[in-house]
Amino acid sequence: MKTIEYSTSEINASDVNVFTDMLAYVSEYIFKITRENGRVLLDIEDTKEDEVLDKIAQLRKTMELDEVKKGREVTTKVLVDKRSNVPLNTDNIFSKLVESGSVVKMTDGAYAYTGLFLQVYRYFCRKIDEFGKKHFNGIQEFEESVLYPVKEYETGHYFESFPHHIMFQTTMKSDAELLERFSKNGTNDSTIFSNDNMKRPENVVRHAACVPIYPMLKDAYIPADSPKYYLISGKCFRNEGANVYELARLNEFYMKEFVCIGTLEQTLDMIKSARALWEEWIDTFNLNCTIETANDSFFASNYKKLKIFQILGDSKQEFRVYIPDGDFFCAVSSSNVHRTHFTKTYNIHNDNSFCQSSCFAFGIERLSYALLSQKGVDIDKWDEATRKEIFG
């Protein structure tokens, strides 16, 4: 293994975060990624440097936006800036949570929770549920299954935009000899996982909570004066590869989402209403944070089109909370305007046209981790407003 240095100084500022995120997926020979100002350090297979650099060059080529070439830089915008708020804590809380047993590692990017972390985790779940029921008339709750059909992911075009995040579920083929061999040898028999012995995956494990709502409403008629609201919860899964980091980047996490399906005005009103929850948390906890326009880490040929659409249309905004020990901002919640992307695919319509949709998503682990990062794990040192809000 060897470490190589790659400069990001020539990459458009608005693309640096996406570029470093995507490095985890460009080559199987990149084992570790360390970010520093103006560069990244990559631990790679020592005989594969040329191949790795070639893959990185391909990624760079994909991310060359026409707008940048023409001199019109596409950048994110800070809509709310609370970076002057001073956190109570600057120490690393992840190691303390692990040492106390409040967070227990199951495998890379997946944890069990108890103690203080679980108390904060449950507070955010409860708060989101109460807010949704209070503000969105007739909201319908769903606790979604983890498994979801591959065919629906294809219909929704998720593979086109997020192939790097997808995780599949499959099983061994029904064969007595194969099962007998596996029962005796387990995974020591490497042939068990060959194409001949494993079924073609029929399911994925969902990467976002709201995915099942749209096919559930296939061909539905939703009157223009009666928007549909949903509160959707469930475990989600994303392959974060080398990007897994403490509780900020996980392969398995819990997500809650508000979804609105109706007219464009109604979907935008939902987002405006839900933002009051961000503002409440900012004021109550005196958070060091920002609210910004944002773009996802789209992949391959869709990157240009989708990134420009998101940023220029302000279709995605993120609530980003400062992590003092790591000196970075963690996106803990986001709003997303889909317009007719899903409703057209599934023929969800009103009297005159296709409906539109929006969602407002919350990462429960990230919210809990970010709050504790700024408050610390010693409750006695918390401000009274935080103690009262979390514990009542």
Side-chain angles (χ1 to χ4, degrees), residues 6 11 17 55 64 89-90 132 160 195 239 244 254 256 260 263 273 283 290 292 308 320 330 348-350 375-376:
Y6 193 92
I11 298 176
N17 286 339
K55 296 288 187 181
E64 290 177 0
N89 174 71
T90 58
E160 295 176 18
N195 292 336
N239 170 31
V244 167
Y254 197 75
K256 284 183 172 288
C260 176
T263 65
S273 297
D283 292 340
T290 63
E292 304 179 19
I308 295 169
R320 304 173 65 84
C330 179
I348 306 169
H349 59 281
N350 55 32
K375 300 298 180 179

Side-chain angles (χ1 to χ4, degrees), residues 170-194 197-198:
T170 188
T171 62
M172 287 180 289
K173 293 178 179 178
S174 298
D175 180 271
E177 185 278 328
L178 173 64
L179 296 174
E180 175 69 17
R181 181 153 49 94
F182 179 65
S183 70
K184 291 180 179 178
N185 302 322
T187 59
N188 290 325
D189 182 350
S190 60
T191 66
I192 291 293
F193 300 106
S194 69
N197 295 329
M198 302 299 292

Side-chain angles (χ1 to χ4, degrees), residues 8 82 102 108 117 119-120 151 161 198 214 218 270 276 294 319-320 326-327 332 337 339 350 359 366:
T8 58
K82 296 292 182 178
S102 188
D108 286 345
F117 191 83
Q119 288 178 294
V120 176
K151 64 179 181 179
S161 302
M198 302 299 292
Y214 311 105
K218 181 176 173 62
M270 185 276 281
F319 179 31
R320 304 173 65 84
D327 191 27
V332 299
V337 181
R339 302 188 186 275
N350 55 32
C359 72
R366 288 189 180 192

Side-chain angles (χ1 to χ4, degrees), residues 289-305:
C289 62
T290 63
I291 297 174
E292 304 179 19
T293 59
N295 60 283
D296 288 308
S297 297
F298 294 116
F299 203 83
S301 59
N302 269 7
Y303 175 79
K304 296 181 184 181
K305 176 179 67 178

Side-chain angles (χ1 to χ4, degrees), residues 148 151-158 211-220 340-349 354:
Y148 200 67
K151 64 179 181 179
E152 291 296 353
Y153 256 58
E154 291 173 334
T155 300
H157 306 291
Y158 295 106
V211 168
I213 283 297
Y214 311 105
M216 286 169 59
L217 292 170
K218 181 176 173 62
D219 297 326
T340 60
H341 178 80
F342 297 115
T343 54
K344 186 175 182 179
T345 297
Y346 290 101
N347 188 33
I348 306 169
H349 59 281
F354 295 111

Side-chain angles (χ1 to χ4, degrees), residues 217-228 261-267 339-340 343-344 346-357:
L217 292 170
K218 181 176 173 62
D219 297 326
Y221 166 74
I222 299 176
D225 59 352
S226 301
K228 294 285 189 180
I261 301 178
T263 65
L264 177 59
E265 182 179 8
Q266 290 160 350
T267 62
R339 302 188 186 275
T340 60
T343 54
K344 186 175 182 179
Y346 290 101
N347 188 33
I348 306 169
H349 59 281
N350 55 32
D351 289 320
N352 302 312
S353 62
F354 295 111
C355 293
Q356 307 213 15
S357 69

Side-chain angles (χ1 to χ4, degrees), residues 81-87 286-290 322 329 374:
D81 190 344
K82 296 292 182 178
R83 286 175 286 190
S84 61
N85 290 347
V86 180
N286 193 41
L287 291 173
N288 182 310
C289 62
T290 63
Y322 184 57
F329 284 82
Q374 293 201 15

